[in-house]
Amino acid sequence: MRHTTRTFGLVFFLGLLLAAPLRADAGADAPFVVGAKVGLGVGTGPLGAGFTPELELGYVLPFLEGRISAFLGLRYAGLPSKDALPVDPRLPGSQVHEYTLLQEEAILTLGGRTFFELTDSLSAYGLLGARLYLMRTRIRGDIDGIDPGENLETGTSGGFVLGGGVEWALGPGHLVGELAFGYAPLDGLVFQETNTGMLSLNVGYRFYFGL
C-alpha cells in the first residue's frame, strides 16, 4: 500500500510537470510567495472535522520556465472525537463511561507545486509534499458523573500530502482554492494502529513578489 501510494504520487507530479506551460506571473521578477489559507478538514480515520488554517512561504524555481514552486507550510488542525467505554466493575457506577478528545496537530509541510495555465488569469496546479505532524491529544471523560480531569498525550509522526488546486489572479495577488489529502500513521495509547488521515478543502490568497 505504501509503495503504491508513493508511485501514484510520483507519476501524478511528473505528469503535471510535463504538461504544464509557463505561468505568466512567475519568474525572476517575482520569485517569492507568501500566502494564507483557511478551510475545513475531515478525518478519514477515527477523527472528526475541524478548521485547518495554514500559512505558507514559497519560491518559484528559476528553471523549467517557472512552472515549479517549492513551499514551506505551517498548518493547525483541531479534530474532535467521542467514544464510550464498556462498563468496568473497577470503576464507580453502572453506566457506560463516555469520553471526548481533541486531536491537535501542528503540521509542517515541505513540498512542491507544478502549474499549468488554463486562461490568462486562471491556473491549476498539483502538489506533493512531505509532512511532520506534531500532535497533542486532549482527553476528558465522565465516570458516573465524576469528572476525572484532563489527560494529555503527545507524539510526532511523519507523513505526506497530495492534492491540487486553482489560482485566480484577483487584485494584487491570487485567490486560491485547494483540495488535499494528508496522511500520517498514528499509534499511541488512545489511538492505536490507526492514522490521522484528513481530506481538507481550503481557500486563501497568495502574493508573488521580488526583493
Side-chain angles (χ1 to χ4, degrees):
M1 177 63 181
R2 184 176 299 176
H3 177 72
T4 302
T5 302
R6 290 177 178 174
T7 301
F8 173 78
L10 181 59
V11 171
F12 177 81
F13 189 72
L14 292 178
L16 287 177
L17 172 62
L18 295 175
L22 172 67
R23 296 180 63 220
D25 59 354
D29 294 336
F32 297 98
V33 188
V34 61
K37 302 191 297 287
V38 67
L40 180 67
V42 179
T44 58
L47 302 174
F51 290 107
T52 56
E54 184 174 15
L55 299 175
E56 62 180 45
L57 299 174
Y59 185 78
V60 179
L61 301 182
F63 51 85
L64 296 175
E65 301 181 318
R67 293 180 293 185
I68 300 294
S69 67
F71 71 93
L72 177 66
L74 174 60
R75 168 174 291 199
Y76 170 82
L79 305 179
S81 184
K82 184 176 182 179
D83 207 343
L85 298 173
V87 175
D88 190 331
R90 296 172 296 177
L91 299 176
S94 58
Q95 301 299 316
V96 173
H97 307 303
E98 296 184 345
Y99 68 91
T100 59
L101 61 84
L102 178 65
Q103 176 80 2
E104 295 182 300
E105 300 173 347
I107 306 170
L108 297 173
T109 305
L110 179 61
R113 297 187 182 95
T114 180
F115 291 82
F116 58 96
E117 196 172 273
L118 302 177
T119 69
D120 289 341
S121 60
L122 185 66
S123 297
Y125 63 86
L127 69 91
L128 183 66
R131 279 184 163 177
L132 176 65
Y133 288 73
L134 309 176
M135 299 178 289
R136 178 171 61 184
T137 308
R138 297 178 176 270
I139 309 106
R140 182 174 290 276
D142 185 340
I143 303 175
D144 198 32
I146 301 174
D147 185 356
E150 184 178 73
N151 292 286
L152 296 177
E153 180 182 353
T154 60
T156 61
S157 185
F160 70 89
V161 61
L162 175 68
V166 292
E167 277 192 5
W168 178 35
L170 182 65
H174 290 73
L175 186 64
V176 177
E178 185 174 286
L179 179 66
F181 173 69
Y183 179 91
L186 179 59
D187 190 10
L189 294 176
V190 178
F191 292 119
Q192 299 182 7
E193 297 182 354
T194 183
N195 67 83
T196 181
M198 179 173 61
L199 184 66
S200 61
L201 178 63
N202 286 61
V203 295
Y205 204 74
R206 290 193 185 113
F207 294 95
Y208 291 80
F209 63 96
L211 297 179

